[in-house]
Structures are given as structure tokens and as C-alpha cells.
Amino acid sequence: MSRILVVDDEEAVRALVARGLSLDGHDCLTAADGAEALDILIAEKGRFDLLLTDIRMPLMDGIALALAAKQEFPDLTIMLMTGYAEQRERAKSLEAIVSEVMTKPFAIADLRATVMRVIERSIG
């Protein structure tokens, strides 16, 4: 179906999200932080249908990753996840480049539905 890069510094969350999205046939690669994700994006020449990243992470947070990824790959669709209200507020300034912000904790069914909607919007 779609190729998704899942980025979260919490291994359990990263694995759960990737596994849940794989149920819909998505091909998911994972990264533990923004720096690793940017390396993957560059190595793969941005060939992802969606970058799904947590906001609060060490080294390079999700907002810095979103800005760098969009600059390098302007057509990349980006979705953010966060469990922190102040991070959600920071993300509001990125409405032009971020398709959606999911608030943690979320049900995997809600995430799957939102990802499908975001991908469908980006295609159509």
C-alpha cells in the first residue's frame, strides 16, 4: 500500500505503531530519533508516502525533522504525534507543512483511520 517512516524514541510505541499500520498493508520503516530518520530519508531519496513522527525526542525533535524533511523533500506528507500539550501548540505553526497532529495516547484504530485519511488526501 503505502511506504511510511515511523519515528519515535520509545521503542514500544515505535513497534506498536509500525505493527498497527502494517495491518493495513503499509510498508513501515522505523527510526529512533529525528537524526536517524533524516539519514533514512536522504538515503531513500525521500521515497515515502508519509513521515509519521513523534515531536518530543532527543537529538532532533519531530518539528526540526519536519522542517528539514520538507525543505529536502517538498512533496513529502508529514504527520506528527505528541503526548504534550505545549508540543501540540508548537506544531500549530507548522500547519502549512504538517497534515495532521495526533494526540497520545491514541487507539491504534484511530491512528490507522487517520493515516489512511491523510494518505488519501495527499494522493487525491
Side-chain angles (χ1 to χ4, degrees):
M1 217 172 177
S2 294
R3 196 157 188 251
I4 301 172
L5 179 56
V6 177
V7 189
D8 198 299
D9 60 318
E10 293 183 45
E11 185 178 349
V13 173
R14 196 169 58 240
L16 179 67
V17 167
R19 194 168 43 250
L21 295 175
S22 294
L23 293 173
D24 292 323
H26 300 295
D27 178 22
C28 296
L29 272 71
T30 62
D33 58 56
E36 181 185 357
L38 193 55
D39 288 345
I40 292 170
L41 282 169
I42 291 167
E44 297 286 326
K45 297 177 177 47
R47 289 187 292 250
F48 289 92
D49 298 295
L50 178 66
L51 169 62
L52 174 57
T53 182
D54 188 24
I55 294 178
R56 193 172 197 168
M57 297 181 293
L59 299 180
M60 175 187 274
D61 72 9
I63 290 176
L65 171 59
L67 292 169
K70 203 63 165 180
Q71 183 174 12
E72 194 73 28
F73 307 103
D75 295 332
L76 182 63
T77 301
I78 301 171
M79 191 172 145
L80 301 175
M81 307 177 282
T82 188
Y84 299 91
E86 74 275 5
Q87 299 299 332
R88 190 170 177 84
E89 287 302 311
R90 280 182 62 211
K92 281 189 178 181
S93 65
L94 301 177
E95 287 176 345
I97 66 168
V98 172
S99 297
E100 189 80 39
V101 180
M102 291 279 304
T103 302
K104 292 179 182 178
F106 46 73
I108 289 298
D110 292 339
L111 175 68
R112 290 170 61 197
T114 302
V115 164
M116 288 295 268
R117 187 175 66 249
V118 166
I119 290 172
E120 286 171 1
R121 269 196 327 243
S122 71
I123 294 170

